[in-house]
Each structure stands twice: as C-alpha cells, then as structure tokens.
C-alpha cells in the first residue's frame, strides 16, 4: 500500500509540473516590415514607440484623431499601411478612435492577457505594431464590433 501511495504521489507531482502549466514560449512572428528597436526609436516619437512597439495605451481623450471626421483613411504610424476607413469610424464615447471594421488583411489579431483576463488585441499585419483592442460592443446595425484604437498609432490621410 505504501508503494502505491508513493507512486501516486510522484505521479501527481509530475503531472502538476507538466508543460501545460508552464508559460508558453512566445513565438516571434516575422512581419514584412521589420526593424530593430533602435531603428523604431529613431523613426517614432516616444509615445508612438510606447504604444506601437511596447503595447502601451495612450490616455483617453488625448488624440486629435478621436474627433477626426473628414473622409480619408487611417494608416499605421509605423509603416503607413492603410488600416481603417473614415466611413467605418464612429464616436464610441470611450476617448479613443473607434471603428466598426478594419481594412481586411491589414490588421492582425491576437490575445492579450496582461490585465488578468483575455482581450482581443489588434496589431498592424505589416509591421506588428500594437494598435489597440477589439470588443463586441460596437454598433449593432453594422458589425457589432468596436475596434478601440490608440490614435497615436495612426496617421490620417485625407481623401483627395
């Protein structure tokens, strides 16, 4: 009986220490536009670097793009990829530029667990820059999605 208890104890110890509970190794995706941290720091402002390269968040209601209402396209501030069209922008009242859809293929998605729960993160599919998060509380009459985007991660290109 002691042997069985000892074997079960050892088995339990190893099962609790399984690879399923170990932190998954992050796989670094290679994007079409890839630069070193130094190169990004030279190109971006300190706030853009914080948001795009370190997955930071700008303070709400600080971006001039939050109230941008002209026709045009919102591009990635890191690599100039077109990400969102002005016709899909809406005022969510959250203090960040919000869109009900992205330009398909130009925005990639992943999971963000930094706050202790999972959120759907958005990043530029060309350079990997962090843009913001997507939520299911957007306009029901369109997609129902709210792409909550850091304005500092975007540049606006007006329609000609």
């Amino acid at each position: 009986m002691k042997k069985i208890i000892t074997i079960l104890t050892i088995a339990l110890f190893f099962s609790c220490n399984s690879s399923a509970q170990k932190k998954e190794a992050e796989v670094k995706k290679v994007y079409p536009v890839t630069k070193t941290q130094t190169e990004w720091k030279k190109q971006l402002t300190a706030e853009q670097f914080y948001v795009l390269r370190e997955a930071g968040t700008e303070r709400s209601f600080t971006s001039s793009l939050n109230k941008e209402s002209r026709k045009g396209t919102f591009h990635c501030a890191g690599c100039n990829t077109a990400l969102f069209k002005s016709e899909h922008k809406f005022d969510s009242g959250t203090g960040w530029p919000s869109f009900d859809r992205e330009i398909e293929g130009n925005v990639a998605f992943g999971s963000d667990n930094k706050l202790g729960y999972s959120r759907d993160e958005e990043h530029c599919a060309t350079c990997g820059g962090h843009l913001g998060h997507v939520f299911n509380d957007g306009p029901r009459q369109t997609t129902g999605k709210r792409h909550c985007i850091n304005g500092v991660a975007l540049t606006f290109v007006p329609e000609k």
Side-chain angles (χ1 to χ4, degrees), residues 12-23:
L12 181 64
F13 173 76
F14 282 110
S15 69
C16 288
N17 197 20
S18 71
S19 61
Q21 291 185 352
K22 291 180 182 174
K23 184 180 177 185

Side-chain angles (χ1 to χ4, degrees), residues 44-45 47-52 56-68 73-78 81 83-84 89 92 94-99 122 129-133 147-157:
L44 303 170
T45 67
E47 191 174 19
Q48 287 173 324
F49 184 84
Y50 170 67
V51 170
L52 286 165
T57 301
E58 70 185 355
R59 282 190 5 252
S60 61
F61 299 101
T62 60
S63 173
S64 61
L65 295 181
N66 191 36
K67 297 294 183 183
E68 179 59 66
T73 309
F74 295 83
H75 291 233
C76 175
T81 297
L83 303 171
F84 302 96
K89 187 174 185 292
S92 65
T94 61
W96 289 280
S98 297
F99 305 86
E122 296 185 75
H130 171 76
L131 302 172
H133 297 86
H147 298 261
C148 187
I149 307 300
N150 290 285
V152 74
L154 303 172
T155 56
F156 179 70
V157 178

Side-chain angles (χ1 to χ4, degrees), residues 135-152:
F135 302 97
N136 291 318
D137 60 1
R140 293 288 168 220
Q141 66 274 22
T142 59
T143 64
K145 301 288 184 191
R146 174 174 55 97
H147 298 261
C148 187
I149 307 300
N150 290 285
V152 74

Side-chain angles (χ1 to χ4, degrees), residues 31 33 35 37 40 44 48-56 127-130:
Y31 294 95
V33 173
K35 298 180 182 185
Q37 295 289 72
W40 283 120
L44 303 170
Q48 287 173 324
F49 184 84
Y50 170 67
V51 170
L52 286 165
R53 308 318 310 168
E54 297 178 329
C127 71
H130 171 76

Side-chain angles (χ1 to χ4, degrees), residues 101-146:
R101 70 196 76 179
E102 77 282 5
I103 295 176
E104 202 168 318
N106 292 357
V107 175
F109 301 90
S111 292
D112 172 4
N113 298 304
K114 293 180 189 125
L115 296 180
Y117 59 92
S118 185
R119 297 184 295 171
D120 294 326
E121 180 185 14
E122 296 185 75
H123 54 272
C124 175
T126 304
C127 71
H130 171 76
L131 302 172
H133 297 86
V134 62
F135 302 97
N136 291 318
D137 60 1
R140 293 288 168 220
Q141 66 274 22
T142 59
T143 64
K145 301 288 184 191
R146 174 174 55 97

